[in-house]
Amino acid sequence: MARPLILGAGPAGCAAAVELARSGVSPTLLDRCATVGDPLCGGFMSWRTLSQLEALGIDLSDLGGQPVDRLRLFGRGTWVETPLPRPSLGLSRHALDTRMRETATTAGAQFAIDTIRGISASTAHGQRQDWHGESLFLATGKHDVRGHSRPRQSEDPALGLRLRLPPGNARRRLIGSAIELHLFRGGYAGIVLQEGGSANICLALRKSALASAGGDPLTLLSRVAEDNAGFADRLGPDFSRARVESIGAVPYGWIAHETKPGLFRLGDQAAVIPSLAGEGMSIAVASGTMAARHWLQGGTGAAQAYQRAFAARAYRPVQMAKAARVLAETRLGAAAALALARLLPGLVIDLAERCRIGRDSIQSDRATCTHARPC
Ligand SMILES: Cc1cc2nc3c(=O)[nH]c(=O)nc-3n(C[C@H](O)[C@H](O)[C@H](O)COP(=O)(O)OP(=O)(O)OC[C@H]3O[C@@H](n4cnc5c(N)ncnc54)[C@H](O)[C@@H]3O)c2cc1C
């Protein structure tokens, strides 16, 4: 059987590559970028993400990430704090994706560079060449390829914005070991410290919320700060000098229930959990690992079974995160969420657990693998 071709070397593609390569199959891992940039992301690695990476043999402890052990929730004029169930991490995507790529290639994946423009049957059409593979693992994340786009029709689509603020004692003292969620009408801003002490500030919001600030991210940030003194303290006086990156039309809540023959959809191409939950990377790693295990057991023909099984596994966390998002983005809902969190902190932790992806029912046969599959 021909070796799988993995399109996209983010967390999902790399997880699949590691699982396959460690089972004796050497996949081709293809990405449009030769070197890892710093993709737009909240940079919060949940306890579940960390345990899944650990199961893949990926250790992040030497990368200087910021330990995170508490959740701080901010609303209008009020905030509440609660411990997380297990240790988590603030880490840049540059550090994570670099480590994952290195692990995949060291394990035996062949890395190649090309930008995929479209897929037809078992061929991925790249800018440089056509790539043929009986089994294609689609892991291009936030970016769709022609013929396989995710639905994006929404009256008020979701956007992502990110700015990185330099290390400073004041911010370090204020944020410390927390993942902070600052709720505002139409969205939220997540703040976490990362390696080197810089603060990653990532907003997920409705397009209408940005439009109400004249379409200008800096005006929006100032308005959120006017309403929320804690957010203003974290932004500091110099935030307007920071570069604001953006991403449009994020199809939060979408899940792939079906696929085409031989096409395994992974990560954000399989399920898009609202980022408020901080579980997107976990879903990416879980889907990559699960797709690889299905392929190892059933080959190309296992694509549909994998897709359905993964959709079922992702359903509950995605629905829970959707409900949390709807609640958090209205003034009344946010106020109610904060009041509840103050009264019953256990409820917040329970919700946070319910937004996590569950365990894979297909066990890895790596321990007993005799490398019987041809590469
Ligand atoms: C605003 C926002 C904040 C978020 N915050 C968090 C958070 O704090 N914690 C968390 O766990 N999750 C978070 N997420 C979700 C998380 O970023 C994604 O779920 C995760 O990155 C998905 O991983 P992936 O491997 O599927 O895709 P990606 O990370 O998008 O990786 C895709 C890879 O494919 C490559 N690629 C893309 N197109 C092509 C092409 N045409 N040809 C070749 N290569 C291509 C890219 O270069 C990239 O390397 C957030 C998402 C958003 C929108």
Side-chain angles (χ1 to χ4, degrees), residues 99-361:
R99 173 57 53 88
M100 289 195 75
R101 268 195 202 184
E102 281 166 2
T103 310
T105 48
T106 305
Q110 309 292 315
F111 187 68
I113 302 158
D114 203 351
T115 300
I116 300 306
R117 298 284 189 215
I119 297 173
S120 51
S122 54
T123 303
H125 306 287
Q127 204 170 30
R128 297 182 176 188
Q129 66 171 84
D130 279 351
W131 300 81
H132 304 284
E134 272 176 44
S135 310
L136 297 179
F137 284 34
L138 180 59
T140 53
K142 299 168 181 78
H143 305 276
D144 289 343
V145 297
R146 206 171 52 235
H148 296 274
S149 297
R150 299 161 301 167
R152 295 195 188 240
Q153 64 274 40
S154 163
E155 278 180 15
D156 195 3
L159 312 176
L161 300 174
R162 193 265 301 272
L163 64 158
R164 176 77 52 77
L165 297 178
N169 285 339
R171 262 184 221 112
R172 184 180 280 281
R173 241 188 348 264
L174 286 166
I175 304 164
S177 61
I179 167 70
E180 295 191 342
L181 300 179
H182 296 253
L183 311 182
F184 57 86
R185 191 155 56 181
Y188 79 95
I191 307 184
V192 72
L193 293 178
Q194 299 189 323
E195 66 272 21
S198 65
N200 194 69
I201 304 190
C202 196
L203 284 73
L205 70 163
R206 299 271 179 189
K207 191 178 176 186
S208 58
L210 185 59
S212 71
D216 176 22
L218 293 177
T219 306
L220 176 89
L221 289 163
S222 304
R223 290 209 182 146
V224 175
E226 276 164 23
D227 261 8
N228 173 349
F231 188 65
D233 291 343
R234 281 138 181 94
L235 273 187
D238 52 352
F239 76 93
S240 57
R241 286 207 292 270
R243 189 161 68 95
V244 182
E245 294 154 277
S246 64
I247 180 165
V250 184
Y252 283 138
W254 175 81
I255 297 178
H257 292 275
E258 302 289 328
T259 188
K260 303 236 167 91
L263 186 74
F264 296 71
R265 301 187 69 120
L266 320 181
D268 279 2
Q269 290 291 323
V272 190
I273 189 165
S275 47
L276 183 77
E279 190 65 355
M281 286 186 268
S282 189
I283 293 226
V285 175
S287 63
T289 310
M290 191 170 170
R293 289 176 185 172
H294 273 260
W295 189 90
L296 288 163
Q297 291 196 0
T300 300
Q304 187 63 266
Y306 150 73
Q307 211 67 60
R308 288 188 184 146
F310 188 71
R313 195 174 160 206
Y315 184 78
R316 190 197 64 185
V318 169
Q319 295 308 315
M320 295 304 296
K322 268 168 79 175
R325 177 185 177 221
V326 168
L327 185 72
E329 65 184 17
T330 62
R331 280 237 159 103
L332 208 62
L338 264 101
L340 259 177
R342 197 178 301 282
L343 275 174
L344 302 165
L347 209 65
V348 179
I349 295 311
D350 188 53
L351 178 64
E353 286 283 15
R354 284 170 189 273
C355 289
R356 306 295 136 198
I357 185 108
R359 308 229 169 269
D360 184 2
S361 54

